Amino acid sequence: MSVFTLDAAAREEVLAGELAALTERHRRACPPYRRILDAIGARPPYERVADLPWLPVRLFKTHELRSVPAEAVFRVLTSSGTTGQRPSRVYLDREAAAAQPRMLAATLRAVLGERRLPMLIVDGRSVVRGPALSARGAGVLGMMNFGRDHTFVLDEQGEVDKAAVEAFLARHGGEPFLVFGFTFMVWLHLLGLGADLSRGVLIHSGGWKRLAEQAVDNDAFRRRLAAECGLTRVHNFYGMVEQIGTVFLEGPDGDGLYCPDFADVVIRDPGTWREVPPGEPGLIEVVSTLPTSYPGHALLTEDLGVVHGVDDGHWPGKRFTVLGRLPRAEARGCSDTFGQGG
């Protein structure tokens, strides 16, 4: 069943009620969250998704925010965190831990189909080894659940293993297969292979900063892949550990990111916090009904974005792009807004 079915009006009607109920559930179950809501005077009714109180995503680095008893915590997820920063901590009970991969699979099924495809991984096997898994390693390991006959493009020395790629394509090059890698790894290592990847479906994410420094945008990225590899089924995605299981997926035409039915985005003016209209850039707020064990259902990110259109693309709902990170000083200011709530 597709999770890209709701137009903007239907999505608003469904999500406003579900997210309002989640807000009150977390208010009751999470004392730090309750103190934050009390401090900012957040009270129902919330008529629209944009009316819901949101948390700066950075709070998950500084506060223990969970809505289940400590003994019910099944898994604690941590973000990568940059040097000198505490990582985010996300608390999942068994129910939330089970929902996350199920809904991620439902989202990716829109472009991968029902069965697990042979998988080419644009990375080295070492990235998923060892007790301390990096965010990149965790991303690779998570995506490996959606593939089979996993083949790594890089060898143990981090060099392209052409023999392994050629053997994979000899086995699977005539049928659909999955290619996964972080964006900058795809740019560095997939181009120049001289391989025919025309039956592949590429899922990629992250690493745009390095490419932007080389003046490579999404259009240029897609053009080069098509020209050099024959790879035309390309889907970027946007997501974060603080809303694990929710990803915003690029449409087939590369015209923007789309929201699954259980999620949405609100673009806010960083000066007034009001929602801005399509075409106007601002801070991205992500909402999702998946976070039931912690109050991560309405999060203000530190990313800038813009909605390009509504109900006018390949899938219904908002169509948006991520423009980049908010400058660090401004991002700190977002968290300071809620500093008294701890």
Side-chain angles (χ1 to χ4, degrees), residues 181-185 204-209 211 236-238:
F182 288 89
T183 307
F184 72 94
M185 296 290 286
H204 70 102
S205 183
W208 280 108
K209 183 179 178 183
L211 297 191
N236 185 22
F237 73 85
Y238 174 66

Side-chain angles (χ1 to χ4, degrees), residues 40-275:
I40 62 174
R43 291 286 171 194
Y46 310 109
E47 295 182 0
R48 300 173 58 247
V49 168
D51 297 335
L52 290 157
W54 41 263
L55 294 183
V57 71
R58 186 175 290 247
L59 279 188
F60 288 85
K61 299 180 188 297
T62 57
H63 293 62
E64 182 175 327
L65 297 168
R66 57 178 168 82
S67 302
V68 293
E71 60 271 19
V73 173
F74 174 67
R75 185 173 297 144
V76 181
L77 303 175
T78 58
S79 65
S80 56
T82 54
T83 305
Q85 276 192 345
R86 291 170 61 180
S88 293
R89 294 175 66 82
V90 173
Y91 299 87
L92 303 179
D93 61 4
R94 287 184 179 274
E95 179 188 356
Q100 172 260 318
R102 187 173 68 246
M103 299 315 291
L104 178 60
T107 304
L108 294 180
R109 204 172 291 133
V111 295
L112 296 180
E114 295 290 335
R115 59 193 181 94
R116 297 205 314 182
L117 300 177
M119 185 173 184
L120 195 61
I121 302 164
V122 191
D123 219 312
R125 189 175 294 277
S126 60
V127 79
V128 296
R129 286 205 197 112
L133 206 60
S134 67
R136 195 170 104 204
V140 170
L141 205 57
M143 283 298 299
M144 286 174 70
N145 292 320
F146 302 103
R148 60 182 173 85
D149 193 13
H150 306 104
T151 300
F152 289 84
V153 171
L154 304 184
D155 62 20
E156 294 293 340
Q157 287 71 47
E159 302 294 328
V160 172
D161 189 341
K162 285 197 172 185
V165 175
E166 288 170 0
F168 175 89
L169 292 174
R171 294 193 301 275
H172 304 297
E175 61 180 326
F177 58 90
L178 168 61
V179 185
F180 174 73
F182 288 89
T183 307
F184 72 94
M185 296 290 286
V186 171
W187 183 259
L188 285 176
H189 301 298
L190 209 56
L191 295 170
L193 262 180
D196 178 8
L197 305 178
S198 56
R199 298 300 302 275
V201 183
L202 171 65
I203 305 288
H204 70 102
S205 183
W208 280 108
K209 183 179 178 183
R210 300 190 195 191
L211 297 191
E213 290 166 356
Q214 301 175 42
V216 178
D217 61 12
N218 192 40
D219 287 342
F221 180 81
R222 294 172 68 96
R223 281 198 305 271
R224 281 282 301 276
L225 285 170
E228 296 192 23
C229 308
L231 198 51
T232 57
R233 296 180 63 191
V234 176
H235 299 274
N236 185 22
F237 73 85
Y238 174 66
M240 61 198 67
V241 72
E242 294 85 1
Q243 268 190 7
I244 194 74
T246 303
V247 296
F248 301 89
L249 192 62
E250 184 178 34
D253 302 327
D255 59 350
L257 299 161
Y258 290 82
C259 310
D261 290 347
F262 53 88
D264 207 352
V265 294
V266 178
I267 307 298
R268 295 192 181 274
D269 184 315
T272 66
W273 306 124
R274 291 195 182 94
E275 183 178 17

